[in-house]
Amino acid sequence: LAAFGAILAADPKSAFGGHPEQRNCAALVALVSILWATEAMPLFATAMLVPGLAVVLRVMTDRSDPDGPAVRLSPRAAAPLVFHAMMSQVIMLLLGGFAIAAALSKHFIAKWVATAVLSRAGSSPPALLAGSMAVAAFASMWLSNVAAPVLTYSLLAPVLRTLPPSPPGLALARALVLGVALASNLGGMTSPIASPQNVFAIERMTDPATGDSPSWLQWFSVSLPIVAVGTAICWAALLVFYRDLHRLPAVRQLPPTKDRVTGTQLYVVAVSAGTVCLWCANGALAPLVGEMGVVALLPLIAFFGTGVLTKDDFNSMLWNVVMLAMGGLALGAAVDSSGLLKSVAAAAADAAAGLTVWQVHALFCGLVLLATTFISHTVGAMVILPVVERIGRHMLPEPHARLLVMGAALMCSGAMGLPVSGFPNMTAVSLEGPDGRTYLTASDFLAVGVPCSVAAYGLIVTLGYALMRGVNGW
């Protein structure tokens, strides 16, 4: 509140080029950023402040005349623009992804797939660790990296309970818990619905003139190789750090599932796979459906319309995440309309003048890694991605907005060096053993998570950069 008041009291002629709307928007950004970073209020509650303050502070402007000055809109004229920005295709993508995740979870398809993998992983500690991490990364692709670690830990619970309390058993338990967290973080890169920051990235990668957005196939072509290599590196790091687990001869093997596949499960798989295929073919379908958000209506109608999911399932969706996303979209619209984003991007572009595309990419990924190690990945994406996108659109001799935005979004998920770095880490550090003590401490994340974060950074600025340059138009 002190920062908010101090910026509002500043003379706009001295710091904001005589634009009070930019000063007011800077105060708004400072207020919500500090509240998000400190979590003094719940994240979704802070997001609710954005549309109201954006209207009351009159940060929205009319820039229809490119040669004339920006005209501040009245609250009556600004309110519809703010609410229009809040209900974009991003929200429909979230709801469509939530419907798919709910159906896969409710009808035990996700658990069936995970059990099938773990039951075949074998009884050796390294193989079990590899299988657990693969399950977590794959589940993150479809259930989001919020639900994936919870599911994987529930499957590993029988194994964790039966591990001996000796140093080899304790080493394997810690490796399993931390490995699932690291793999879930990396799994947040895999698909556009794997984590909220990816949804924001898709919005920022959409061409404002044509409405063209990257397809799922393009996203997969970049993310899956990075996640595969990154998960292997994390697995190797865990085996090196928790060397005592090699002295454990064998562990209890999970039994394979004996449940028969039902017609409802086949229907859920068919609808989910069909939706993903349509998302992958977004470029070819754009003349027919316009945006991916329209395709996201398919699982909502197919599942709720046939009773596969019920009203209770709809009411139990992660509406706090939806509200957070809507607040982020409103903030992005306010920063853009006020001209503050243009001013910040111009200053950042001056600082990056003379740098190559790769250097700018590496610079922003480093800044994102540093910021999102300490604050929420989602919050970091909401604050940083708009600046990255604006700089990318104005790069010479050709724009590279999609490349820079996707690189920054992937790096958000790659920041996993502290217990507070992402929801998977928060879940892991709170997991308790049979004796009531937590498996992990901050030192475990510092010893393994920090090197793995640096490795993820290296992958994104090398392999990721090469893959993104290979995508047409990036």
Side-chain angles (χ1 to χ4, degrees):
L1 290 175
F4 179 65
I7 297 175
L8 280 182
D11 184 0
K13 294 182 180 179
S14 60
F16 299 95
H19 299 291
E21 67 275 11
Q22 292 190 20
R23 177 201 60 191
N24 292 359
C25 191
L28 171 61
V29 171
L31 175 65
V32 298
S33 297
I34 294 171
L35 288 177
W36 273 332
T38 60
E39 296 191 49
M41 291 170 56
L43 297 180
F44 72 93
T46 298
M48 294 179 187
L49 288 172
V50 177
L53 289 176
V55 172
V56 172
L57 295 175
R58 296 185 62 197
V59 303
M60 306 297 289
T61 64
D62 180 5
R63 298 176 179 270
S64 57
D65 183 1
D67 299 323
V71 179
R72 294 180 73 184
L73 295 177
S74 66
R76 185 181 294 274
L81 295 179
V82 174
F83 289 124
H84 173 75
M86 293 173 69
M87 190 57 198
S88 72
Q89 70 156 337
V90 170
I91 304 303
M92 295 313 304
L93 280 173
L94 273 178
L95 294 177
F98 288 162
I100 291 175
L104 293 176
S105 178
K106 179 178 180 178
H107 295 280
F108 306 105
I109 300 169
K111 186 174 182 179
W112 182 84
V113 172
T115 305
V117 173
L118 290 177
S119 65
R120 291 167 174 78
S123 58
S124 73
L128 178 62
L129 178 61
S132 303
M133 295 177 70
V135 166
F138 182 77
S140 296
M141 186 187 303
W142 310 112
L143 303 183
S144 86
N145 66 348
V146 174
V150 177
L151 169 68
T152 310
Y153 289 139
S154 68
L155 296 175
L156 288 175
V159 176
L160 293 173
R161 283 197 299 266
T162 56
L163 288 176
S166 59
L170 188 58
L172 178 57
R174 288 174 174 169
L176 287 171
V177 174
L178 185 54
V180 168
L182 298 180
S184 298
N185 277 303
L186 292 175
M189 305 180 186
T190 47
S191 74
I193 62 171
S195 57
Q197 56 265 26
N198 294 358
V199 180
F200 293 128
I202 288 288
E203 177 74 7
R204 288 293 165 184
M205 295 166 76
T206 301
D207 192 318
T210 63
D212 178 46
S213 57
S215 70
W216 277 46
L217 189 60
Q218 290 174 322
W219 189 284
F220 284 152
S221 67
V222 176
S223 65
L224 294 185
I226 295 175
V227 173
V229 177
T231 303
I233 292 174
C234 292
W235 174 74
L238 289 165
L239 292 181
V240 171
F241 186 74
Y242 297 106
R243 291 184 295 273
D244 285 346
L245 65 82
H246 296 284
R247 296 194 284 119
L248 199 65
V251 294
R252 175 184 174 181
Q253 195 168 358
L254 289 174
T257 180
K258 298 180 180 180
D259 296 334
R260 298 185 63 180
V261 178
T262 66
T264 302
Q265 289 176 324
L266 292 175
Y267 175 75
V268 170
V269 170
V271 172
S272 302
T275 303
V276 172
C277 290
L278 293 176
W279 276 332
C280 289
N282 177 65
L285 293 176
L288 178 63
V289 299
E291 295 181 339
M292 287 194 294
V294 176
V295 177
L297 293 170
L298 174 61
L300 289 166
I301 297 169
F303 293 149
F304 288 104
T306 58
V308 171
L309 295 176
T310 66
K311 180 179 65 175
D312 291 336
D313 296 316
F314 185 80
N315 292 337
S316 62
M317 281 185 173
L318 296 175
W319 291 106
N320 60 320
V321 177
V322 174
M323 289 305 303
L324 180 61
M326 295 175 78
L329 293 172
L331 183 63
V335 173
D336 193 19
S337 179
S338 68
L340 181 63
L341 177 58
K342 184 178 180 180
S343 300
V344 173
D350 291 339
L355 299 181
T356 64
V357 178
W358 180 85
Q359 289 172 327
V360 175
H361 170 62
L363 175 63
F364 273 110
C365 284
L367 292 174
V368 169
L369 173 60
L370 181 63
T372 53
T373 296
F374 298 93
I375 66 174
S376 163
H377 295 170
T378 305
V379 172
M382 288 193 295
V383 175
I384 298 173
L385 291 188
V387 178
V388 175
E389 182 247 351
R390 180 59 70 101
I391 291 176
R393 291 201 186 282
H394 292 85
M395 290 193 71
L396 296 176
E398 57 179 324
H400 292 282
R402 288 188 173 181
L403 185 152
L404 295 178
V405 169
M406 184 167 186
L410 295 179
M411 195 65 256
C412 288
S413 297
M416 44 194 174
L418 292 176
V420 296
S421 303
F423 185 83
N425 287 12
M426 297 178 194
T427 305
V429 79
S430 63
L431 198 66
E432 297 180 347
D435 58 358
R437 292 186 293 182
T438 57
Y439 289 103
L440 303 176
T441 64
S443 60
D444 293 285
F445 287 96
L446 291 173
V448 183
V450 170
C452 289
S453 297
V454 175
Y457 171 79
L459 281 173
I460 293 170
V461 300
T462 54
L463 175 61
Y465 178 78
L467 293 171
M468 287 186 282
R469 288 306 298 263
V471 178
N472 184 36
W474 288 26

